[in-house]
């Protein structure tokens, strides 16, 4: 990743808002999804369409349901342009299998949608879970912007910072320029002390990586205990693999 591919903001919400404004059109998200995704689009007056996830995981839409939704929205006069997904899912604590992630990214690319991949929790895989974690940017680098909220695994809430990695293409450069204009116009800029903290943790010194490792192990124990209790009560839930849910 080169410096010219990056953008930063005081939190992931302003970044997603700026991306949604820059891309235009309607937004598609998996169901369920992170609670903060949809308000960004609604604030801009954009329509949001929820697409069911596969039975095996959350974070990505079922590819068949996604294609059906895109075609239905267009037939009704809509203009779908953005798919938001997550490779380390916030509400379901799952990691999509590579083949399902590829199918979703392939379907979005085929239909001309840009993908925003929320990878905030990708560094918090639970010990022993060992899922195969890929980014859609590794599969379709020209069509994917990666979003990472450092306040998740790296920084405390008092230091809000997030970054976006744009495609290394002419279109990606134009998208980055529009996003930075939006952030500047709305005053969503990183304060110098927060930028210094973000720079420090992105270099991943040992004390940061060790704290992240211990935190992931603790959340894995708690989530595992809750999962066993749910199953013991007769409920159905996917085993937690990542994050804090």
């Amino acid at each position: 990743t080169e410096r010219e591919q990056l953008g930063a903001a005081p939190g992931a919400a302003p970044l997603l808002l700026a991306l949604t404004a820059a891309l235009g059109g309607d937004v598609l998200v998996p169901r369920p999804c992170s609670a903060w995704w949809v308000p960004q689009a609604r604030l801009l007056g954009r329509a949001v369409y929820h697409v069911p996830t596969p039975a095996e995981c959350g974070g990505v839409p079922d590819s068949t349901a996604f294609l059906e939704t895109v075609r239905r929205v267009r037939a009704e006069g809509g203009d779908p342009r953005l798919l938001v997904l997550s490779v380390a899912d916030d509400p379901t604590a799952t990691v999509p299998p590579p083949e399902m992630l590829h199918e979703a990214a392939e379907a979005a690319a085929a239909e001309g949608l840009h993908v925003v991949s929320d990878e905030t929790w990708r560094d918090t895989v639970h010990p022993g879970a060992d899922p195969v974690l890929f980014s859609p940017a590794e599969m379709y680098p020209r069509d994917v912007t990666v979003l990472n909220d450092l306040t998740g695994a790296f920084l405390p809430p008092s230091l809000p910072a997030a970054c976006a990695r744009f495609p290394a293409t002419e279109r990606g450069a134009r998208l980055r320029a529009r996003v930075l204009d939006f952030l500047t116009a709305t005053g969503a800029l990183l304060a110098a002390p927060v930028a210094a903290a973000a720079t420090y943790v992105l270099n991943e010194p040992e004390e940061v990586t060790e704290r992240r490792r211990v935190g992931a192990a603790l959340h894995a124990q708690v989530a595992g205990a809750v999962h066993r209790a749910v199953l013991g009560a007769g409920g159905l839930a996917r085993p937690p693999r990542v994050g804090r849910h």
Side-chain angles (χ1 to χ4, degrees):
T1 300
E2 302 297 332
R3 181 185 182 93
E4 291 75 19
Q5 289 176 257
L6 295 174
L15 258 180
L16 183 58
L17 181 68
L19 278 162
T20 306
L23 287 164
D26 302 327
V27 180
L28 278 75
V29 296
R31 183 175 63 234
C33 70
S34 296
W36 62 273
W37 288 359
V38 173
Q40 316 306 313
R42 288 181 176 164
L43 181 63
L44 294 168
R46 306 285 165 74
V48 181
Y49 299 92
H50 295 260
V51 184
T53 58
E56 294 84 354
C57 65
V60 299
D62 175 84
S63 57
T64 301
F66 170 79
L67 291 171
E68 290 174 351
T69 302
V70 169
R71 289 160 188 169
R72 174 177 57 82
V73 170
R74 285 178 174 154
E76 294 173 355
D79 183 21
R81 295 190 193 178
L82 171 61
L83 168 64
V84 186
L85 54 77
S86 176
V87 300
D89 193 37
D90 181 8
T92 66
T94 59
V95 175
E99 61 274 14
M100 292 184 178
L101 178 64
H102 185 273
E103 288 173 1
E106 183 180 44
E111 293 296 327
L113 274 72
H114 192 77
V115 175
V116 169
S117 177
D118 181 1
E119 303 187 8
T120 295
W121 300 104
R122 67 171 296 150
D123 294 301
T124 63
V125 173
H126 296 168
D130 295 328
V132 181
L133 198 155
F134 280 96
S135 169
E138 299 175 75
M139 304 170 179
Y140 291 89
R142 300 175 62 87
D143 302 300
V144 179
T145 295
V146 175
L147 181 64
N148 193 339
D149 190 349
L150 300 178
T151 310
F154 290 91
L155 291 173
S158 58
L159 296 172
C163 55
R165 178 191 185 275
F166 298 88
T169 63
E170 183 178 342
R171 182 187 178 199
R174 292 197 302 268
L175 175 60
R176 176 181 181 266
R178 289 197 297 270
V179 167
L180 294 182
D181 282 345
F182 188 91
L183 294 172
T184 301
T186 56
L189 306 175
L190 281 183
V194 179
T199 301
Y200 179 74
V201 299
L202 283 171
N203 282 316
E204 297 191 283
E206 184 177 352
E207 62 269 26
V208 171
T209 57
E210 176 63 14
R211 181 180 184 275
R212 188 180 63 206
R213 184 192 66 79
V214 171
L218 174 60
H219 285 292
Q221 292 179 22
V222 175
V226 173
H227 182 247
R228 290 189 294 273
V230 170
L231 296 184
L236 178 64
R238 304 179 183 100
R241 293 285 183 255
V242 67
R244 299 179 181 175
H245 281 68

